[in-house]
mmCIF file of all heavy atoms in Angstrom:
data_model
loop_
_atom_site.group_PDB
_atom_site.id
_atom_site.type_symbol
_atom_site.label_atom_id
_atom_site.label_comp_id
_atom_site.label_asym_id
_atom_site.label_seq_id
_atom_site.Cartn_x
_atom_site.Cartn_y
_atom_site.Cartn_z
ATOM 1 N N ILE A 108 -14.989 13.589 9.594
ATOM 2 C CA ILE A 108 -15.907 14.534 8.962
ATOM 3 C C ILE A 108 -16.476 15.451 10.043
ATOM 4 O O ILE A 108 -16.895 14.971 11.109
ATOM 5 C CB ILE A 108 -17.026 13.786 8.225
ATOM 6 C CG1 ILE A 108 -16.419 12.897 7.122
ATOM 7 C CG2 ILE A 108 -18.031 14.768 7.613
ATOM 8 C CD1 ILE A 108 -17.434 12.036 6.404
ATOM 9 N N SER A 109 -16.481 16.743 9.788
ATOM 10 C CA SER A 109 -16.926 17.698 10.813
ATOM 11 C C SER A 109 -17.730 18.816 10.178
ATOM 12 O O SER A 109 -17.624 19.093 8.978
ATOM 13 C CB SER A 109 -15.720 18.282 11.569
ATOM 14 O OG SER A 109 -14.781 18.854 10.674
ATOM 15 N N VAL A 110 -18.545 19.472 11.006
ATOM 16 C CA VAL A 110 -19.346 20.613 10.578
ATOM 17 C C VAL A 110 -19.012 21.789 11.488
ATOM 18 O O VAL A 110 -18.879 21.635 12.705
ATOM 19 C CB VAL A 110 -20.858 20.277 10.589
ATOM 20 C CG1 VAL A 110 -21.313 19.781 11.946
ATOM 21 C CG2 VAL A 110 -21.686 21.473 10.166
ATOM 22 N N HIS A 111 -18.841 22.982 10.869
ATOM 23 C CA HIS A 111 -18.392 24.168 11.595
ATOM 24 C C HIS A 111 -19.294 25.355 11.251
ATOM 25 O O HIS A 111 -20.018 25.337 10.256
ATOM 26 C CB HIS A 111 -16.947 24.532 11.189
ATOM 27 C CG HIS A 111 -15.965 23.410 11.322
ATOM 28 N ND1 HIS A 111 -15.028 23.359 12.318
ATOM 29 C CD2 HIS A 111 -15.781 22.285 10.577
ATOM 30 C CE1 HIS A 111 -14.292 22.270 12.191
ATOM 31 N NE2 HIS A 111 -14.734 21.602 11.132
ATOM 32 N N HIS A 112 -19.189 26.403 12.048
ATOM 33 C CA HIS A 112 -19.790 27.664 11.658
ATOM 34 C C HIS A 112 -19.179 28.114 10.323
ATOM 35 O O HIS A 112 -18.073 27.703 9.958
ATOM 36 C CB HIS A 112 -19.550 28.728 12.731
ATOM 37 C CG HIS A 112 -20.331 28.488 13.989
ATOM 38 N ND1 HIS A 112 -21.675 28.774 14.107
ATOM 39 C CD2 HIS A 112 -19.949 27.970 15.197
ATOM 40 C CE1 HIS A 112 -22.093 28.448 15.321
ATOM 41 N NE2 HIS A 112 -21.071 27.952 16.003
ATOM 42 N N GLU A 113 -19.880 28.947 9.623
ATOM 43 C CA GLU A 113 -19.473 29.320 8.260
ATOM 44 C C GLU A 113 -18.022 29.769 8.185
ATOM 45 O O GLU A 113 -17.273 29.352 7.301
ATOM 46 C CB GLU A 113 -20.384 30.430 7.730
ATOM 47 C CG GLU A 113 -20.033 30.878 6.319
ATOM 48 C CD GLU A 113 -20.957 31.962 5.809
ATOM 49 O OE1 GLU A 113 -21.802 32.458 6.589
ATOM 50 O OE2 GLU A 113 -20.826 32.323 4.622
ATOM 51 N N GLU A 114 -17.597 30.607 9.103
ATOM 52 C CA GLU A 114 -16.243 31.145 9.040
ATOM 53 C C GLU A 114 -15.237 30.316 9.832
ATOM 54 O O GLU A 114 -14.053 30.647 9.866
ATOM 55 C CB GLU A 114 -16.224 32.596 9.552
ATOM 56 C CG GLU A 114 -17.130 33.528 8.771
ATOM 57 C CD GLU A 114 -16.793 33.560 7.284
ATOM 58 O OE1 GLU A 114 -15.601 33.401 6.948
ATOM 59 O OE2 GLU A 114 -17.713 33.739 6.472
ATOM 60 N N GLU A 115 -15.692 29.271 10.504
ATOM 61 C CA GLU A 115 -14.827 28.329 11.235
ATOM 62 C C GLU A 115 -14.046 28.977 12.371
ATOM 63 O O GLU A 115 -13.037 28.446 12.835
ATOM 64 C CB GLU A 115 -13.831 27.645 10.292
ATOM 65 C CG GLU A 115 -14.479 26.864 9.166
ATOM 66 C CD GLU A 115 -13.454 26.107 8.342
ATOM 67 O OE1 GLU A 115 -12.887 25.131 8.854
ATOM 68 O OE2 GLU A 115 -13.234 26.495 7.196
ATOM 69 N N THR A 116 -14.477 30.151 12.830
ATOM 70 C CA THR A 116 -13.736 30.826 13.901
ATOM 71 C C THR A 116 -14.354 30.597 15.269
ATOM 72 O O THR A 116 -13.706 30.804 16.293
ATOM 73 C CB THR A 116 -13.662 32.340 13.624
ATOM 74 O OG1 THR A 116 -14.994 32.852 13.501
ATOM 75 C CG2 THR A 116 -12.883 32.624 12.348
ATOM 76 N N VAL A 117 -15.617 30.189 15.295
ATOM 77 C CA VAL A 117 -16.323 30.029 16.574
ATOM 78 C C VAL A 117 -16.102 28.646 17.162
ATOM 79 O O VAL A 117 -16.151 28.462 18.368
ATOM 80 C CB VAL A 117 -17.831 30.308 16.378
ATOM 81 C CG1 VAL A 117 -18.584 30.211 17.700
ATOM 82 C CG2 VAL A 117 -18.025 31.683 15.748
ATOM 83 N N GLY A 118 -15.819 27.665 16.312
ATOM 84 C CA GLY A 118 -15.589 26.316 16.815
ATOM 85 C C GLY A 118 -16.371 25.279 16.050
ATOM 86 O O GLY A 118 -17.198 25.582 15.194
ATOM 87 N N MET A 119 -16.111 24.031 16.386
ATOM 88 C CA MET A 119 -16.742 22.903 15.709
ATOM 89 C C MET A 119 -18.131 22.662 16.288
ATOM 90 O O MET A 119 -18.350 22.717 17.498
ATOM 91 C CB MET A 119 -15.864 21.657 15.902
ATOM 92 C CG MET A 119 -16.334 20.427 15.151
ATOM 93 S SD MET A 119 -15.323 18.984 15.588
ATOM 94 C CE MET A 119 -13.686 19.553 15.098
ATOM 95 N N LEU A 120 -19.090 22.367 15.385
ATOM 96 C CA LEU A 120 -20.457 22.088 15.816
ATOM 97 C C LEU A 120 -20.693 20.600 16.050
ATOM 98 O O LEU A 120 -21.430 20.221 16.961
ATOM 99 C CB LEU A 120 -21.447 22.617 14.779
ATOM 100 C CG LEU A 120 -21.475 24.136 14.580
ATOM 101 C CD1 LEU A 120 -22.350 24.486 13.388
ATOM 102 C CD2 LEU A 120 -21.981 24.816 15.844
ATOM 103 N N ALA A 121 -20.092 19.761 15.213
ATOM 104 C CA ALA A 121 -20.264 18.310 15.354
ATOM 105 C C ALA A 121 -19.178 17.608 14.551
ATOM 106 O O ALA A 121 -18.614 18.169 13.603
ATOM 107 C CB ALA A 121 -21.645 17.867 14.869
ATOM 108 N N GLU A 122 -18.882 16.366 14.926
ATOM 109 C CA GLU A 122 -17.826 15.594 14.248
ATOM 110 C C GLU A 122 -18.176 14.115 14.295
ATOM 111 O O GLU A 122 -18.810 13.631 15.241
ATOM 112 C CB GLU A 122 -16.467 15.842 14.908
ATOM 113 C CG GLU A 122 -15.311 15.139 14.217
ATOM 114 C CD GLU A 122 -13.970 15.407 14.899
ATOM 115 O OE1 GLU A 122 -13.941 15.518 16.146
ATOM 116 O OE2 GLU A 122 -12.964 15.499 14.178
ATOM 117 N N ALA A 123 -17.743 13.373 13.274
ATOM 118 C CA ALA A 123 -17.914 11.921 13.241
ATOM 119 C C ALA A 123 -16.721 11.304 12.515
ATOM 120 O O ALA A 123 -16.140 11.923 11.620
ATOM 121 C CB ALA A 123 -19.214 11.542 12.537
ATOM 122 N N THR A 124 -16.365 10.093 12.918
ATOM 123 C CA THR A 124 -15.286 9.354 12.249
ATOM 124 C C THR A 124 -15.893 8.293 11.347
ATOM 125 O O THR A 124 -16.711 7.480 11.789
ATOM 126 C CB THR A 124 -14.352 8.692 13.275
ATOM 127 O OG1 THR A 124 -13.732 9.713 14.070
ATOM 128 C CG2 THR A 124 -13.267 7.894 12.566
ATOM 129 N N HIS A 125 -15.506 8.338 10.108
ATOM 130 C CA HIS A 125 -16.019 7.410 9.104
ATOM 131 C C HIS A 125 -14.960 6.345 8.818
ATOM 132 O O HIS A 125 -13.811 6.664 8.531
ATOM 133 C CB HIS A 125 -16.374 8.182 7.831
ATOM 134 C CG HIS A 125 -16.869 7.332 6.711
ATOM 135 N ND1 HIS A 125 -17.656 6.224 6.902
ATOM 136 C CD2 HIS A 125 -16.688 7.431 5.369
ATOM 137 C CE1 HIS A 125 -17.935 5.683 5.734
ATOM 138 N NE2 HIS A 125 -17.362 6.397 4.791
ATOM 139 N N GLU A 126 -15.346 5.062 8.896
ATOM 140 C CA GLU A 126 -14.442 3.952 8.604
ATOM 141 C C GLU A 126 -14.790 3.350 7.251
ATOM 142 O O GLU A 126 -15.891 2.865 7.050
ATOM 143 C CB GLU A 126 -14.551 2.863 9.682
ATOM 144 C CG GLU A 126 -14.107 3.287 11.058
ATOM 145 C CD GLU A 126 -14.129 2.113 12.029
ATOM 146 O OE1 GLU A 126 -13.760 0.996 11.628
ATOM 147 O OE2 GLU A 126 -14.528 2.320 13.174
ATOM 148 N N ARG A 127 -13.817 3.383 6.335
ATOM 149 C CA ARG A 127 -14.006 2.799 5.016
ATOM 150 C C ARG A 127 -13.163 1.521 4.932
ATOM 151 O O ARG A 127 -11.941 1.567 4.868
ATOM 152 C CB ARG A 127 -13.638 3.793 3.918
ATOM 153 C CG ARG A 127 -14.478 5.071 4.027
ATOM 154 C CD ARG A 127 -14.385 5.938 2.807
ATOM 155 N NE ARG A 127 -14.920 5.297 1.609
ATOM 156 C CZ ARG A 127 -16.216 5.152 1.351
ATOM 157 N NH1 ARG A 127 -17.130 5.587 2.229
ATOM 158 N NH2 ARG A 127 -16.611 4.579 0.238
ATOM 159 N N VAL A 128 -13.846 0.388 4.959
ATOM 160 C CA VAL A 128 -13.212 -0.921 5.079
ATOM 161 C C VAL A 128 -12.770 -1.415 3.710
ATOM 162 O O VAL A 128 -13.556 -1.442 2.760
ATOM 163 C CB VAL A 128 -14.192 -1.934 5.717
ATOM 164 C CG1 VAL A 128 -13.567 -3.322 5.787
ATOM 165 C CG2 VAL A 128 -14.610 -1.441 7.102
ATOM 166 N N LEU A 129 -11.516 -1.824 3.603
ATOM 167 C CA LEU A 129 -11.016 -2.360 2.343
ATOM 168 C C LEU A 129 -11.196 -3.873 2.256
ATOM 169 O O LEU A 129 -11.531 -4.393 1.198
ATOM 170 C CB LEU A 129 -9.539 -2.001 2.146
ATOM 171 C CG LEU A 129 -9.328 -0.526 1.799
ATOM 172 C CD1 LEU A 129 -8.977 0.282 3.020
ATOM 173 C CD2 LEU A 129 -8.284 -0.367 0.714
ATOM 174 N N MET A 130 -10.956 -4.572 3.345
ATOM 175 C CA MET A 130 -11.041 -6.028 3.327
ATOM 176 C C MET A 130 -12.189 -6.457 4.235
ATOM 177 O O MET A 130 -12.143 -6.293 5.449
ATOM 178 C CB MET A 130 -9.725 -6.660 3.801
ATOM 179 C CG MET A 130 -9.607 -8.138 3.502
ATOM 180 S SD MET A 130 -7.906 -8.744 3.638
ATOM 181 C CE MET A 130 -7.559 -8.485 5.369
ATOM 182 N N ALA A 131 -13.245 -6.989 3.639
ATOM 183 C CA ALA A 131 -14.443 -7.347 4.394
ATOM 184 C C ALA A 131 -14.167 -8.496 5.353
ATOM 185 O O ALA A 131 -13.221 -9.282 5.171
ATOM 186 C CB ALA A 131 -15.566 -7.735 3.427
#
Side-chain angles (χ1 to χ4, degrees):
I108 299 176
S109 55
V110 56
H111 306 254
H112 290 282
E113 180 179 6
E114 301 303 328
E115 301 185 70
T116 57
V117 183
M119 185 186 301
L120 295 172
E122 183 180 35
T124 298
H125 178 36
E126 295 185 39
R127 302 193 64 76
V128 177
L129 287 97
M130 194 164 64

